[in-house]
Amino acid sequence: RFELEGKGRFYGPVTWLENKGRCGVGKYLHCCHPEDERLPPECTPVKTTFARHVAVANIKAQSSAAPLNSSAVSFTFLEFHWPDSGLGRLGEPYTFLDMLPRIVPRALPMQRALVTILLRDPATFYPSLQLHQFPAMRSTRRASNLTACDYVGFVAVFPNMQSWRLTATQWVQPPLEALSHDRIFGAASRLLVYFDIVGVTEQLEQWLALLCIRAGITVCPAIEHLNDQRRSRAGLHSTRHCPLPDIDAVRAAVDVHAVADLRLHTLARQRLRSDWHATSTTHGFRFSPKRVRSDTFVPMPR
């Protein structure tokens, strides 16, 4: 929306977006060079990671070009997603952990910089990830014996997935005996300190409202649920034939294999609650988020 209106630029994976803007047109995980004003397909494509790097460098160099309260200040949105945020041909050398120190507010003192993250209840996160990306996940050696609809086995093979993805640059995490729940939670919870806003997908509307307030976005767009029941593509390991998961069985597996993720999700909910309370007190209004039962499987964006 902001790109269509000429108010901002977005750099990140956009394979699921109807309007792809300047990214993902013609070449996966590539964007138009930030200094190239032409639109796809005429613009010069560069890797998404490099585009984000250039965009941040330009923001820092031009930080005094306009006052913070000027309507001329545009928005730059950076999304870090896998596999373009970690080690590998699609992510290096500008991984998420490498870029994080460059985008925190103190690194851009003349800009209104916000770093935010969404975490999800592991009991719904795991089935959603499996249904959407099982063929890619199965390509790792450890998951090679998994079947497409083995929800419980999927949790066991990829313990504490969200905590690991937040703190590591490697694709596959080590087994629990090599990286305990306490250790990975400690690392992930320390990293959350660097985020200005921490949200959970079960309260997506409240997170977005808080983000808009803090970012100075006067018209906060409504959230549309667009990827309901999204499954992997057809093929040998497709999840299109899989039944919906037994949420009780998945939750039991999470209680064994994803304790750190559970604790991190609880911490995120607490952060969102306290940050919203402080913001609503300052601005003098209340917010009543639409609630999604945590024991109901609802595929949503990760």
Side-chain angles (χ1 to χ4, degrees):
R1 171 178 171 178
F2 282 93
E3 281 200 326
L4 289 174
E5 296 177 355
K7 297 179 180 179
R9 292 280 178 85
F10 174 88
Y11 300 99
V14 293
T15 54
W16 56 86
L17 295 182
E18 182 178 350
N19 170 50
K20 297 182 183 298
R22 295 168 55 85
C23 292
V25 178
K27 199 169 185 181
Y28 177 56
L29 287 179
H30 281 67
C31 298
C32 292
H33 194 290
E35 296 173 0
D36 189 340
E37 295 298 326
R38 294 174 298 173
L39 296 175
E42 287 76 21
C43 67
T44 301
V46 295
K47 287 174 59 176
T48 301
T49 47
F50 182 71
R52 286 192 296 242
H53 161 71
V54 173
V56 171
N58 288 346
I59 290 172
K60 191 167 186 177
Q62 301 169 2
S63 60
S64 60
L68 290 178
N69 60 356
S70 170
S71 59
V73 173
S74 61
F75 292 92
T76 298
F77 301 91
L78 311 178
E79 184 200 1
F80 292 85
H81 207 77
W82 282 80
D84 70 302
S85 62
L87 294 177
R89 65 182 181 86
L90 298 174
E92 296 178 87
Y94 306 111
T95 68
F96 168 69
L97 292 180
D98 179 65
M99 291 294 294
L100 182 59
R102 310 181 196 185
I103 58 179
V104 293
R106 65 173 177 270
L108 301 168
M110 299 301 293
Q111 299 292 330
R112 181 179 290 175
L114 290 174
V115 183
T116 185
I117 188 172
L118 279 165
L119 297 170
R120 184 172 179 175
D121 181 351
T124 59
F125 166 81
Y126 274 104
S128 179
L129 176 65
Q130 181 173 352
L131 288 171
H132 176 41
Q133 289 190 334
F134 179 76
M137 302 297 292
R138 189 187 179 279
S139 64
T140 61
R141 180 178 301 178
R142 190 190 308 169
S144 60
N145 292 326
L146 277 179
T147 59
C149 307
D150 184 1
Y151 295 106
V152 172
F154 188 82
V155 178
V157 168
F158 299 104
N160 294 312
M161 173 64 76
Q162 293 179 85
S163 299
W164 172 256
R165 287 284 174 85
L166 178 61
T167 58
T169 52
Q170 300 291 339
W171 177 265
V172 181
Q173 61 270 59
L176 282 176
E177 52 266 27
L179 186 61
S180 68
H181 295 302
D182 287 341
R183 185 179 171 191
I184 188 64
F185 171 73
S189 60
R190 286 192 295 270
L191 195 64
L192 285 190
V193 174
Y194 293 93
F195 288 84
D196 302 287
I197 302 173
V198 178
V200 294
T201 57
E202 295 79 20
Q203 293 172 267
L204 203 58
E205 295 87 353
Q206 189 170 11
W207 166 80
L208 182 60
L210 182 59
L211 176 63
C212 289
I213 292 169
R214 296 278 298 276
I217 300 175
T218 55
V219 180
C220 196
I223 294 177
E224 297 182 13
H225 189 184
L226 298 178
N227 72 338
D228 191 30
Q229 301 294 324
R230 183 166 181 168
R231 306 297 182 99
S232 65
R233 298 174 182 174
L236 180 61
H237 304 294
S238 173
T239 59
R240 293 188 176 187
H241 66 286
C242 293
L244 288 178
D246 180 341
I247 200 67
D248 292 330
V250 173
R251 194 169 292 283
V254 165
D255 288 341
V256 175
H257 302 286
V259 175
D261 278 5
L262 284 172
R263 294 171 64 187
L264 197 69
H265 182 258
T266 298
L267 182 61
R269 289 172 56 194
Q270 293 170 347
R271 274 280 305 269
L272 180 60
R273 186 184 309 116
S274 62
D275 288 350
W276 180 260
H277 175 73
T279 301
S280 60
T281 299
T282 301
H283 290 79
F285 60 89
R286 296 180 180 180
F287 179 82
S288 299
K290 180 177 66 177
R291 298 187 178 276
V292 178
R293 289 177 53 197
S294 61
D295 60 345
T296 302
F297 176 71
V298 182
M300 293 175 7
R302 285 179 301 282

